[in-house]
């Protein structure tokens, strides 16, 4: 633990453990075969070279009707990868409109160029499986946009009675990541926000604990490598100044 590091003689610790735990929808049927996180899907297909199976050792199931849930850059990567792995139909399913999608405009444009279907104002409520335990359908609700929420985007509101079922055989969930709670749970006095991210003083990246600093996705939630590197530089200067006072 971090406290054990201090007991071993360290005077400062920087936490940069990221936010690599995928978020899920927590709706019925989410454990069916054929439903996986974008983290696993992209790691298998790219880093572990599943696209070259059986030449590579890592297999991957790539269905014919792929639905990717989410509207960020990772969702765009996932849906385009699914199409390239042989899907006959690949779609983005997003609960807001395209104007609210957090993905870069270029990513959306490239997905459209490849023939990806965008199904907007749609939110899954349950997954439907076949007798073998594989996903075969996804029940969804139509949504409409209400007042803005804390993100500044208009809040999606369900339209009662608008349920419909999409035929799918692969679902990739790309609705964000959260931090691994282990560090926070084992470090008393380390303050976090309601999403479990560590809170810091932006000018120094110091946490609520003396001598403990943090930066990157563990602080901001899923963001960019550039932002994480910038946080590390700020923290390095602050740690150097702190150690000189000891």
């Amino acid at each position: 633990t971090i406290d054990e590091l201090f007991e071993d003689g360290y005077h400062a610790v920087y936490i940069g453990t990221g936010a690599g735990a995928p978020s899920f929808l927590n709706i019925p049927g989410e454990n069916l075969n054929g439903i996986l996180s974008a983290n696993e899907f992209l790691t298998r297909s790219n880093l572990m070279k599943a696209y070259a199976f059986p030449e590579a050792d890592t297999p991957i199931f790539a269905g014919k009707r792929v639905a990717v849930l989410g509207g960020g850059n990772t969702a765009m990567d996932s849906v385009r990868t699914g199409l390239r792995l042989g899907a006959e139909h690949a779609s983005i399913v997003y609960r807001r409109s395209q104007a609210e999608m957090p993905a870069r405009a270029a990513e959306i444009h490239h997905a459209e160029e490849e023939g990806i279907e965008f199904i907007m104002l749609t939110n899954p409520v349950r997954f439907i499986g076949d007798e073998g335990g594989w996903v075969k359908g996804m029940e969804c609700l139509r949504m409409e946009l209400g007042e803005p929420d804390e993100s500044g985007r208009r809040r999606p509101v369900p339209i009662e009675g608008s349920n419909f079922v999409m035929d799918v055989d692969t679902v990739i969930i790309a609705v964000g990541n959260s931090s691994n709670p282990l560090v926070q749970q084992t470090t008393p006095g380390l303050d976090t926000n309601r999403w479990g991210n560590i809170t810091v003083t932006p000018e120094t990246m110091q946490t609520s604990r003396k001598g403990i600093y943090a930066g990157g996705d563990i602080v901001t939630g899923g963001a960019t490598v550039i932002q994480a590197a910038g946080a590390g530089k700020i923290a390095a200067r602050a740690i150097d100044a702190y150690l000189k006072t000891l």
Side-chain angles (χ1 to χ4, degrees), residues 12 213 234-246:
Y213 300 77
I234 293 171
R237 288 192 290 267
I239 291 170
D240 180 62
Y242 169 66
L243 293 177
K244 288 176 179 176
T245 67
L246 301 179

Side-chain angles (χ1 to χ4, degrees), residues 103-126:
R104 294 173 58 242
E107 295 275 357
I108 296 171
H109 175 67
H110 292 153
E112 290 175 328
E113 283 188 326
E114 290 196 46
I116 302 301
E117 181 183 9
F118 285 75
I119 304 173
M120 300 290 98
L121 293 168
T122 299
N123 197 42
V125 294
R126 73 180 178 105

Side-chain angles (χ1 to χ4, degrees), residues 42-165:
L42 292 175
T43 298
R44 280 179 170 271
S45 60
N46 296 333
L47 184 64
M48 301 176 74
K49 304 185 186 302
Y51 62 84
F53 184 80
E55 286 78 14
D57 293 331
T58 302
I60 192 168
F61 175 74
K64 297 303 181 183
R65 296 191 62 83
V66 176
V68 176
L69 313 181
N73 293 325
T74 300
M76 300 304 131
D77 290 344
S78 299
V79 75
R80 295 170 70 192
T81 298
L83 189 66
R84 294 171 189 179
L85 287 174
E88 296 174 357
H89 181 268
S91 60
I92 287 286
V93 179
Y94 185 56
R95 61 182 184 156
R96 290 183 167 97
S97 73
Q98 190 163 323
E100 282 78 33
M101 293 179 72
R104 294 173 58 242
E107 295 275 357
I108 296 171
H109 175 67
H110 292 153
E112 290 175 328
E113 283 188 326
E114 290 196 46
I116 302 301
E117 181 183 9
F118 285 75
I119 304 173
M120 300 290 98
L121 293 168
T122 299
N123 197 42
V125 294
R126 73 180 178 105
F127 299 108
I128 303 165
D130 63 17
E131 61 279 0
W134 288 84
V135 65
K136 68 173 184 179
M138 182 170 68
E139 183 180 349
C140 300
L141 267 177
R142 299 289 186 192
M143 312 293 281
E144 59 185 358
L145 295 179
E147 295 300 316
D149 60 15
E150 61 273 9
S151 72
R153 296 175 296 171
R154 294 177 65 189
R155 185 187 304 275
V157 179
I159 299 175
E160 188 174 349
S162 63
N163 303 57
F164 69 100
V165 174

Side-chain angles (χ1 to χ4, degrees), residues 4 30 63 80 90 105 118 124 133 146 194-195 202 208:
E4 288 173 338
E30 200 165 20
R80 295 170 70 192
F118 285 75
R194 65 190 182 96
W195 296 285
S208 55

